[in-house]
C-alpha cells in the first residue's frame, strides 16, 4: 500500500527552467517535509509544513519554494535550477510532532542539464 | 550539525548478527535516538527509536548505554537485503527535527 508517493521518480530539466516536484500522502498526516540528498550525503532538510504553517530552514536557498494546497499534497518548486541542484529530493510525512516515525517517499531524482 | 557519529562502513556475513555502533555523547536528556536505513536509490525507512530503555521490534534491537552516550543497532540475522546505509539520528526536542549524520554503509556478504 503506497503511503507517500512522489512523482515523477526521475525528472530532467534544463538549467534555469522552473521545475515542480510532487508529493502526496494517504496517511492524513499533519506534517510534511522536503529533503535534498546529494550523492553520498545525508538528507538535508529544506523545509516542512505543520498543517498549513510553513517552516523554512535558515540555509534553504530562495530558489526553493513549496506549496501545500491540502493535507495530502505538497509541492517543491525550483524556480531557476542550477547544476548544483541536481540531487535526490525526498518527501516525508509524520502524523504529529511528537509521534515516532517519518514516512518517506521513494524520492525524485532531479537531473539538470 | 549532526549530534551522532558512526563508522563509515561495516561488513557482515549473511545470517550473522550485524551490530552497528553510534556515538551521541552530546545528546540531551529529552532527545530520542532514531535509526533509519536507506537502500540504494530508495527513500529512508524507519527502523527503531529509543530514549533510555532498550527497544526491540520485528526488524531490530536497540541497545542504549546507561549514560546515553552511545547505542548499538542489532540486526539479529542479517540478510543480503539488509545491505544499506544506516543512519543513527538524534531528534531535537523542540520541533522534533531529525539531525542526520553520514551513516554507516553496511554490506552483508554471502
Amino acid at each position: 500500500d503506497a503511503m507517500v508517493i512522489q512523482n515523477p521518480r526521475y525528472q530532467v530539466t534544463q538549467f534555469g527552467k522552473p521545475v515542480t516536484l510532487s508529493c502526496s500522502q494517504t496517511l492524513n498526516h499533519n506534517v510534511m517535509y522536503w529533503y535534498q540528498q546529494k550523492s553520498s550525503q545525508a538528507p538535508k532538510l529544506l523545509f516542512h509544513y505543520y498543517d498549513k504553517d510553513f517552516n523554512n530552514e535558515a540555509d534553504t536557498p530562495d530558489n526553493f519554494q513549496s506549496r501545500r494546497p491540502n493535507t495530502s499534497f505538497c509541492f517543491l518548486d525550483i524556480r531557476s535550477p542550477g547544476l548544483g541542484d541536481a540531487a535526490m529530493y525526498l518527501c516525508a510525512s509524520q502524523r504529529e510532532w511528537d509521534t515516532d516515525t517519518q514516512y518517506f517517499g521513494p524520492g525524485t531524482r532531479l537531473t539538470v542539464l | 550539525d549532526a549530534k551522532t557519529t558512526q563508522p563509515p562502513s561495516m561488513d557482515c556475513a549473511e545470517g550473522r548478527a550485524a551490530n552497528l555502533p553510534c556515538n551521541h555523547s552530546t545528546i540531551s536528556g529529552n532527545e530520542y535516538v532514531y535509526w533509519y536505513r536507506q537502500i540504494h536509490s530508495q527513500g529512508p525507512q524507519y527502523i527503531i527509536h529509543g530514549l533510555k530503555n532498550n527497544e526491540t521490534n520485528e526488524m531490530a534491537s536497540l541497545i542504549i548505554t546507561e549514560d546515553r552516550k552511545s547505542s548499538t543497532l542489532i540486526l539479529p540475522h542479517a540478510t543480503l537485503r539488509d545491505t544499506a546505509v544506516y543512519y543513527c539520528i538524534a531528534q531535537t526536542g523542540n520541533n522534533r527535527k531529525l539531525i542526520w549524520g553520514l551513516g554507516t554503509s553496511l554490506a552483508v556478504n554471502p
Side-chain angles (χ1 to χ4, degrees):
Chain A
D1 294 340
M3 293 189 291
V4 182
I5 303 162
Q6 291 188 246
N7 285 309
R9 292 294 310 277
Y10 300 91
Q11 176 73 56
V12 180
T13 190
Q14 291 181 332
F15 183 93
K17 184 175 182 181
V19 66
T20 294
L21 309 183
S22 171
C23 176
S24 63
Q25 48 103 355
T26 61
L27 302 161
N28 203 33
H29 284 175
N30 280 322
V31 193
M32 293 187 77
Y33 302 85
W34 279 104
Y35 291 87
Q36 179 193 62
Q37 186 176 29
K38 295 188 177 181
S39 181
S40 300
Q41 296 184 19
K44 176 182 180 295
L45 183 63
L46 294 173
F47 25 60
H48 67 276
Y49 276 93
Y50 182 87
D51 195 13
K52 294 183 178 180
D53 293 334
F54 176 71
N55 297 273
N56 201 32
E57 292 301 297
D59 57 354
T60 298
D62 292 340
N63 196 28
F64 291 85
Q65 304 286 320
S66 185
R67 295 170 284 135
R68 190 180 185 185
N70 53 52
T71 300
S72 300
F73 283 86
C74 196
F75 300 98
L76 170 63
D77 301 309
I78 308 176
R79 293 192 295 187
S80 182
L83 298 180
D85 296 327
M88 175 77 86
Y89 289 89
L90 296 163
C91 175
S93 73
Q94 186 173 4
R95 184 166 59 88
E96 282 290 345
W97 286 125
D98 58 355
T99 55
D100 41 10
T101 307
Q102 289 188 21
Y103 293 87
F104 282 82
T108 294
R109 182 164 297 281
L110 178 69
T111 300
V112 182
L113 300 178
Chain B
D1 291 341
K3 290 191 171 186
T4 61
T5 56
Q6 300 174 253
S9 64
M10 291 183 65
D11 287 297
C12 178
E14 188 178 19
R16 304 295 295 268
N19 298 300
L20 291 91
C22 179
N23 286 323
H24 34 77
S25 57
T26 60
I27 198 171
S28 300
N30 64 346
E31 289 180 334
Y32 284 77
V33 177
Y34 277 70
W35 285 83
Y36 281 74
R37 74 180 182 184
Q38 189 172 24
I39 296 169
H40 181 63
S41 295
Q42 298 183 21
Q45 176 191 23
Y46 166 81
I47 301 173
I48 199 167
H49 74 285
L51 184 62
K52 296 179 182 178
N53 300 322
N54 298 337
E55 303 288 338
T56 296
N57 62 22
E58 65 277 4
M59 290 183 69
S61 295
L62 175 60
I63 309 298
I64 303 175
T65 58
E66 193 169 342
D67 62 10
R68 295 203 347 114
K69 291 186 176 181
S70 65
S71 60
T72 301
L73 178 75
I74 301 172
L75 307 178
H77 305 286
T79 71
L80 299 179
R81 287 179 293 182
D82 292 322
T83 293
V85 177
Y86 287 77
Y87 293 98
C88 171
I89 305 162
Q91 186 191 43
T92 61
N94 289 337
N95 54 14
R96 307 287 178 168
K97 288 192 297 185
L98 299 178
I99 309 299
W100 298 72
L102 294 176
T104 295
S105 179
L106 175 69
V108 180
N109 303 309

